[in-house]
Amino acid sequence: MGSKRGGFTLIELLVVIAIIAVLVGLLVPAVQKVREAANRMSCSNNMKQLGLAIHNFASTNNDSIPMLGEAQEGGHWTAFILPFIEQDAMFKALSFGSTDFATAAGLPSPDISSANRIERQMAACNTPLKTLRCPSSTAPTRIFDGSTYSPPWFANRVPCNYLGVVTGLQPHDGKPSAPRGWGRNPGVFSTAKGNWELDGMFICRPTASSRVAQGGLGSQVKISAIADGTSNTAMIAEAEPDSFLQSIAQVQENPNAGRKDHWTIGGDDFDNWEGTDWSEMGCSLAVRINYPRPTQVAGDANVAGNDGNAAWAAYEVSAGSRHSGGCNMVMGDGSVRFVRETLSPAILSALGTREGGEANTNLD
């Protein structure tokens, strides 16, 4: 008598497939949650390194933290701290002063060891640095960027996820009125202050001394003079560039004035004499965390709106991240805290000011 062959029936196979699908459905979110927790911790470690770098900078620069940027030339604070994040060779390749961070046609493969100073500047802007990128960021590694000039100048730039906190009170990067600045859109920016007058930890020096050659890399802000206390004042906050930045950055910035762009090392829009467009390397805590991208005011969804619109102006300077529910911040004492997007606007504003005299900056 022959033996009967064993096997799965169709119903049994379908049941097994269904069980596997349920298990996968349960496992994937758990894996994603673990991955995001690891990314958030790695991001926090990056920010600890930056906080330590700022304090080491201050210890060698008369207690002053770096300038937000070289307002008349274009260098950013992330360039000034390069020696303190183990990037001394890149720092020595830079030439602060009247050396551009872009060229008319861009350079596809700039060399950091070139004899040409502009090529070295652009090579630095084109070099990704792990310490300046959040692992959860979805921004491209490099973006071909055009300036506000007409015709625009270009450079391949690396997005930066960590911005200096410039203010807790001004929800835009508007320019002050003449004669202190160029001024624009008085309906939105009528009370604008110059970046050297603002209330955060990362600001510039006054226009008469805004260049590195006029006083070095240090700011007018000293750590020991933070009246609100370094543990109550935010120094660096996370931010994520515009999700459409890769497409809108390739043309002259003027039609895309509300774009949310943040760059490492240097930029070509911060070199106006009063230091415009500080959203390239700074943010405002007068704007809620993860401020939503405004509804498009033009017809093309890939083109940023006019930053004369209050919502676009706020979006451009807002902090935020790809972490769920908030973003990491470095306090003035170098500690790193995760700040919820639901934090009271009054407390968030208080975190952004260095001498506002606020009584409560409790994040818990």
Side-chain angles (χ1 to χ4, degrees):
M1 187 173 180
S3 61
K4 186 177 180 179
R5 293 184 65 183
F8 291 109
T9 66
L10 179 60
I11 293 177
E12 288 173 331
L13 184 60
L14 291 174
V15 169
V16 170
I17 292 174
I19 292 172
I20 291 173
V22 170
L23 291 175
V24 169
L26 293 172
L27 182 61
V28 169
V31 170
Q32 291 174 336
K33 188 174 181 179
V34 170
R35 182 182 293 118
E36 171 51 26
N39 285 347
R40 194 169 121 179
M41 180 173 291
S42 179
C43 175
S44 177
N45 288 336
N46 284 346
M47 299 190 79
K48 284 182 184 294
Q49 293 290 327
L50 294 176
L52 180 61
I54 297 300
H55 277 263
N56 286 338
F57 178 99
S59 70
T60 60
N61 287 274
N62 195 31
D63 197 39
S64 295
I65 73 168
M67 288 192 293
L68 175 68
E70 190 179 17
Q72 297 186 60
E73 306 295 354
H76 295 176
W77 67 269
T78 50
F80 303 158
I81 65 166
L82 286 172
F84 304 99
I85 56 173
E86 300 181 349
Q87 295 293 332
D88 193 54
M90 181 182 291
F91 179 77
K92 289 179 178 177
L94 296 174
S95 298
F96 299 113
S98 297
T99 301
D100 291 310
F101 284 89
T103 60
L107 295 175
S109 301
D111 187 349
I112 196 72
S113 62
S114 171
N116 184 298
R117 294 188 301 173
I118 295 177
E119 184 173 357
R120 296 198 303 270
Q121 307 283 81
M122 295 178 65
C125 292
N126 191 34
T127 303
L129 297 176
K130 184 178 179 181
T131 310
L132 298 176
R133 182 180 176 92
C134 171
S136 292
S137 176
T138 58
T141 303
R142 295 179 179 86
I143 295 175
F144 192 56
D145 172 60
S147 71
T148 58
Y149 295 118
S150 183
W153 283 26
F154 295 97
N156 282 302
R157 303 196 189 281
V158 175
C160 186
N161 289 118
Y162 307 121
L163 306 182
V165 176
V166 181
T167 175
L169 300 177
Q170 182 169 297
H172 54 74
D173 64 348
K175 308 170 183 66
S177 301
R180 296 181 302 116
W182 290 351
R184 62 179 177 182
N185 303 307
V188 176
F189 301 123
S190 58
T191 60
K193 293 185 177 180
N195 57 55
W196 65 93
E197 301 171 309
L198 285 166
D199 49 281
M201 285 192 65
F202 266 100
I203 62 174
C204 296
R205 294 194 298 259
T207 52
S209 59
S210 64
R211 299 183 181 184
V212 169
Q214 297 170 320
L217 307 176
S219 168
Q220 55 181 311
V221 175
K222 295 181 180 294
I223 290 179
S224 61
I226 305 300
D228 290 346
T230 54
S231 63
N232 296 322
T233 307
M235 181 165 62
I236 302 170
E238 281 191 85
E240 181 75 5
D242 194 315
S243 57
F244 291 113
L245 184 57
Q246 187 158 20
S247 60
I248 64 178
Q250 297 176 25
V251 296
Q252 183 177 346
E253 187 178 1
N254 285 339
N256 306 306
R259 73 186 189 183
K260 186 175 170 65
D261 57 342
H262 316 308
W263 308 118
T264 65
I265 309 303
D268 205 45
D269 296 330
F270 192 69
D271 58 355
N272 296 311
W273 72 265
E274 82 275 33
T276 65
D277 203 11
W278 52 254
S279 63
E280 285 193 323
M281 78 296 277
C283 68
S284 168
L285 298 191
V287 180
R288 75 178 190 128
I289 295 170
N290 290 325
Y291 191 92
R293 194 177 196 269
T295 301
Q296 191 56 50
V297 295
D300 185 350
N302 291 336
V303 178
N306 187 338
D307 64 352
N309 175 284
W312 277 101
Y315 169 68
E316 188 180 11
V317 300
S318 60
S321 75
R322 295 300 183 197
H323 308 308
S324 178
C327 68
N328 286 314
M329 292 189 189
V330 184
M331 299 295 113
D333 61 1
S335 64
V336 179
R337 303 288 300 273
F338 187 77
V339 182
R340 297 284 175 187
E341 62 187 30
T342 54
L343 185 69
S344 157
I347 295 178
L348 184 63
S349 172
L351 286 176
T353 63
R354 66 184 185 274
E355 50 188 12
E358 301 91 350
N360 183 8
T361 52
N362 182 14
L363 305 185
D364 299 320

